[in-house]
Amino acid sequence: MEHWTALSLTLIWFLALCDGAPTTASPEDHQIAEAYLSQFYRDKNATFSGRILPNLEKELKAMQDFFGLEVTGKLDSNTLETMKLPRCGVTDVARYGHFQGKPKWKQSVVTYRITEYTSQLSKREVDTTITKAFQLYSDVIALDFKQIYNGTADIMILFKAEYHGDFYPFDGPNGVLAHANAPGPEQGGDTHFDDDERWTLRSRDINLLLVAAHEFGHALGLEHSKDPLALMYPTYRYVNTNGYTLPRDDRIGVQALYGKLFDAATSFRRQLYFFKNGYYWKKGFYSGLSMHEIKSTWPTIDSVDAAYEFRDRDISFLFKGQQYWAVKGNTTLLGYPKPIYKFGFPKYVRKIDAAVYVKSTKRTLFFVGTKYWSFNERTVQMDRDFPKTIRRNFPGIGSRVDAAFENYGYLYFSEGSRQSEYNFTSRRVNRFLLNNGWLDCY
């Protein structure tokens, strides 16, 4: 098989792409472009004999289309400028928004280990930043990430320059900043950062949080996005990281793999409310789905851990940490917040995971860790002999409950991305669902 040299491909560029027209691109620019297309836009399974040339014009058009440039197949200045931007080292030519075959982690806890650190930041700064990058995903999907310090983790992380043990050596400052593998066994998910870059936690040079979060998207199964506002856009662009959350395009992509995760859910005046971070989604039978900021409706509440509706009094209760509020429609009642211990919880309970009112028994069930309490709404007291274990008394739903609500006579218990539709009278699971079903428009 004949291999094409940089010189021969440069000549091909002048002949095939310039098409006889004047060009300001130098032979060096053409070599840069060919190397770029070879790395990011060429089918790695393709072979080129002495009679078949790489389709450089087609590759260039694909690149221009991906970045929203004018699709000419010519090496113009905008195209060349885009090629010279710092970027991720993962290819842009996958056929899906996810890696082909949609690989993902099957377990609920994914481990990671940093084997080699950069000297440009302290170990503590690196550890904290990597944790924050993973948290961007654990905030919106049913995966937890755990750092380990010995042995082999699911995701192995290192900082190293040039050749670093795989077949994709780094290229010095700028250029390729980092790369990561898709989920899978052995090297699946492994993530490498070029230690020739100037890693910082600020806007200057290369911000580690943004690059790490991008690469961990690959490690979770996301491919590159064509949306310039997405974290998974291939080229590096600094955005303010204070209060940074996963952009919508990336959130939709990762939730399509792992399912949606909400903090709390409740029925509320015959509509369903789903709470996540500082927002809630309202789903009506006829009105569809709408999203709102929690503080825009209840100004003193910025997030919700658990919620339930006591329909007999047209009141809903919203819980955060060790406090709770009573609300009626968009109005927060006077005298709130109050401490959760008014319900009779012991002092070691620091937050409520989920709550749901069961009309047939006039009881509200509170879920905390692997246990639950039963609160009698008639006597306004906790029932005796509680807490009890969830797994033993609600067979089939799992050991924990992240969110719970009632709808058309069934109780719905969420643990991670999975949800159990539960018949409380027979104490049996009717069927299993995904949380996605309730918020399928987002």
Side-chain angles (χ1 to χ4, degrees):
M1 180 185 299
E2 182 176 341
H3 296 281
W4 294 99
T5 65
L7 178 60
S8 64
L9 285 169
T10 299
L11 294 174
I12 295 168
W13 273 93
F14 276 116
L15 294 173
L17 301 186
C18 297
D19 202 21
T23 177
T24 59
S26 66
E28 181 184 359
D29 289 336
H30 284 290
Q31 289 186 23
I32 291 171
E34 199 287 325
Y36 187 96
L37 296 178
S38 175
Q39 182 170 1
F40 302 117
Y41 285 88
R42 185 161 301 159
D43 183 352
K44 303 304 181 186
N45 296 318
T47 60
F48 304 110
S49 70
R51 294 184 302 275
I52 303 176
L53 303 179
N55 194 332
L56 300 176
E57 184 176 2
K58 180 179 179 182
E59 292 169 356
L60 186 58
K61 286 183 175 180
M63 178 265 178
Q64 290 169 329
D65 178 68
F66 188 97
F67 284 98
L69 303 170
E70 184 180 1
V71 180
T72 63
K74 309 296 181 186
L75 187 57
D76 54 55
S77 58
N78 288 337
T79 301
L80 189 60
E81 183 179 343
T82 300
M83 288 178 170
K84 292 180 178 179
L85 291 173
R87 60 160 292 154
C88 170
V90 177
T91 178
D92 297 335
V93 296
R95 287 187 287 170
Y96 305 94
H98 307 107
F99 286 108
Q100 188 169 357
K102 293 190 175 181
K104 65 178 182 177
W105 299 104
K106 306 299 183 183
Q107 65 270 41
S108 60
V109 178
V110 175
T111 60
Y112 67 92
R113 180 185 172 195
I114 307 171
T115 58
E116 295 187 51
Y117 286 78
T118 179
S119 62
Q120 301 170 56
L121 298 167
S122 69
K123 285 189 176 182
R124 182 176 181 180
E125 287 175 320
V126 172
D127 284 345
T128 300
T129 303
I130 295 299
T131 298
K132 288 180 179 178
F134 278 120
Q135 188 176 345
L136 291 173
Y137 294 97
S138 62
D139 278 348
V140 299
I141 59 173
L143 274 187
D144 289 323
F145 301 94
K146 179 182 179 182
Q147 184 174 8
I148 64 174
Y149 302 92
N150 296 288
T152 303
D154 297 314
I155 298 174
M156 301 291 281
I157 300 169
L158 62 80
F159 291 78
K160 203 164 185 179
E162 299 179 347
Y163 180 77
H164 52 278
D166 60 16
F167 295 102
Y168 304 98
F170 287 125
D171 53 4
N174 295 313
V176 173
L177 306 176
H179 53 225
N181 296 327
E186 299 179 356
Q187 285 79 41
D190 288 359
T191 304
H192 305 151
F193 298 90
D194 185 355
D195 206 30
D196 274 338
E197 308 299 341
R198 293 175 60 90
W199 297 107
T200 72
L201 304 180
R202 305 181 302 276
S203 59
R204 293 182 58 188
D205 301 314
I206 304 299
N207 184 280
L208 178 59
L209 175 64
L210 295 174
V211 176
H214 175 105
E215 298 307 328
F216 297 153
H218 291 315
L220 293 176
L222 294 182
E223 249 296 344
H224 283 148
S225 170
K226 291 185 177 182
D227 183 350
L229 299 180
L231 177 65
M232 297 309 296
Y233 197 65
T235 57
Y236 174 80
R237 178 178 63 93
Y238 178 78
V239 295
N240 192 332
T241 58
N242 292 327
Y244 183 77
T245 58
L246 207 62
R248 182 177 183 273
D249 185 74
D250 310 290
R251 174 167 48 84
I252 291 172
V254 76
Q255 287 176 338
L257 284 174
Y258 295 96
K260 294 180 175 67
L261 177 67
F262 25 80
D263 296 327
T266 185
S267 56
F268 193 5
R269 292 184 169 179
R270 303 191 183 282
Q271 297 186 92
L272 295 177
Y273 282 59
F274 302 94
F275 298 88
K276 183 64 188 177
N277 297 331
Y279 298 88
Y280 70 89
W281 288 258
K282 181 168 64 173
K283 185 182 180 94
F285 188 79
Y286 295 107
S287 59
L289 194 69
S290 59
M291 185 177 75
H292 310 268
E293 189 176 13
I294 295 172
K295 294 189 74 169
S296 69
T297 304
W298 304 289
T300 59
I301 309 172
D302 57 11
S303 63
V304 175
D305 296 328
Y308 78 92
E309 179 189 29
F310 186 27
R311 193 173 295 173
D312 294 356
R313 293 170 54 195
D314 189 29
I315 292 177
S316 292
F317 295 92
L318 308 180
F319 297 78
K320 181 189 177 182
Q322 300 172 64
Q323 296 182 313
Y324 74 99
W325 291 257
V327 302
K328 202 164 191 174
N330 295 348
T331 303
T332 305
L333 301 187
L334 294 176
Y336 291 88
K338 294 181 179 180
I340 60 175
Y341 307 109
K342 291 281 187 181
F343 281 90
F345 290 106
K347 292 296 182 181
Y348 66 80
V349 173
R350 312 298 290 177
K351 68 182 286 289
I352 311 300
D353 293 332
V356 62
Y357 175 63
V358 182
K359 186 175 181 179
S360 61
T361 64
K362 305 294 184 184
R363 260 71 171 177
T364 297
L365 306 178
F366 291 100
F367 299 87
V368 180
T370 59
K371 297 180 180 180
Y372 77 101
W373 276 260
S374 175
F375 181 78
N376 189 324
E377 295 285 357
R378 289 174 174 169
T379 64
V380 199
Q381 290 182 329
M382 285 289 188
D383 288 328
R384 296 179 61 183
D385 302 324
F386 281 87
K388 297 181 179 180
T389 60
I390 297 171
R391 186 179 293 277
R392 181 173 181 180
N393 290 275
F394 290 88
I397 72 168
S399 60
R400 305 176 69 94
V401 175
D402 300 325
F405 62 93
E406 182 274 337
N407 192 47
Y408 288 98
Y410 287 104
L411 301 183
Y412 292 85
F413 298 118
S414 294
E415 182 184 15
S417 62
R418 191 185 77 158
Q419 188 177 79
S420 306
E421 184 181 75
Y422 197 80
N423 186 318
F424 186 79
T425 303
S426 64
R427 295 295 178 110
R428 297 183 63 179
V429 174
N430 184 49
R431 58 176 174 162
F432 293 109
L433 308 166
L434 290 175
N435 290 336
N436 295 38
W438 302 99
L439 302 177
D440 53 1
C441 294
Y442 280 78

